[in-house]
Amino acid sequence: MPRKPARPPRTSCGVVVSDGAHVLLGHATRSVLWDIPKGVAAAGEPFAQAAARELREETGLRVDPAALIDLGVHAYLSGKDLAVFAWQTDAMPDIATLRCTSFIRLPDGGRIPEFDRFAILPWNEALERVGKNLARVLGVLRARPDWPFLPPA
């Protein structure tokens, strides 16, 4: 019996917002995990544009896609890759001003926000709160010599 050709992986596009010492995370509603703002790119949507859109939808923060630093596409989950972008900022956003306008539809017809709260955390603490696959990808990126965030002085 012939094998079906493998479907190309979907690509989720995310933004690491950091001042070097800290990173912005959102808490995934109804989960124990925290995450970077990210989501799947629409068909034909450039990855940097998708990442900037997801950042806006999930936090309210606006960034020009051209201001994002491309950190590449990485194996993430089975059937899903992760395109990671960095947005370096001198001052982290005030989490009290962040709002998630992206919702998950529930079986009963209701909906809940993808993120229900935000935190700005030191890197070591942040890596303990995210899922193992995101922690793996971020760990690899942070070890690269071209990591865009300077370590704290």
Side-chain angles (χ1 to χ4, degrees), residues 52-124:
R53 175 182 50 76
E54 289 293 334
L55 180 69
R56 184 186 71 252
E57 290 174 358
E58 295 184 356
T59 68
L61 296 172
R62 295 181 181 275
V63 63
D64 182 336
L68 296 174
I69 301 164
D70 187 348
L71 299 176
V73 178
H74 306 271
Y76 182 52
L77 301 171
S78 177
K80 188 184 282 189
D81 289 340
L82 178 59
V84 182
F85 294 85
W87 185 26
Q88 190 165 11
T89 179
D90 292 332
M92 294 300 284
D94 176 355
I95 61 170
T97 66
L98 302 180
R99 296 286 179 267
C100 181
T101 60
S102 181
F103 293 87
I104 300 167
R105 292 213 177 272
L106 299 174
D108 67 3
R111 60 188 200 148
I112 57 173
E114 290 190 46
F115 287 153
D116 59 9
R117 63 187 181 276
F118 300 92
I120 295 172
L121 302 169
W123 274 101
N124 289 342

Side-chain angles (χ1 to χ4, degrees), residues 7 30 40 78 90 98 110 140 153:
R7 258 186 3 182
R30 293 191 176 174
V40 176
S78 177
D90 292 332
L98 302 180
V140 167

Side-chain angles (χ1 to χ4, degrees), residues 122-140:
W123 274 101
N124 289 342
E125 186 177 344
L127 292 175
E128 293 173 358
R129 293 191 185 196
V130 299
K132 66 180 179 180
N133 290 306
L134 182 58
R136 174 184 46 79
V137 170
L138 292 175
V140 167

Side-chain angles (χ1 to χ4, degrees), residues 12-78:
S12 193
C13 303
V15 181
V16 175
V17 179
S18 180
D19 61 1
H22 301 89
V23 63
L24 171 67
L25 295 180
H27 179 260
T29 303
R30 293 191 176 174
S31 173
V32 298
L33 298 177
W34 293 71
D35 211 340
I36 62 171
K38 64 176 173 45
V40 176
E45 184 179 25
F47 291 164
Q49 185 176 326
R53 175 182 50 76
E54 289 293 334
L55 180 69
R56 184 186 71 252
E57 290 174 358
E58 295 184 356
T59 68
L61 296 172
R62 295 181 181 275
V63 63
D64 182 336
L68 296 174
I69 301 164
D70 187 348
L71 299 176
V73 178
H74 306 271
Y76 182 52
L77 301 171
S78 177

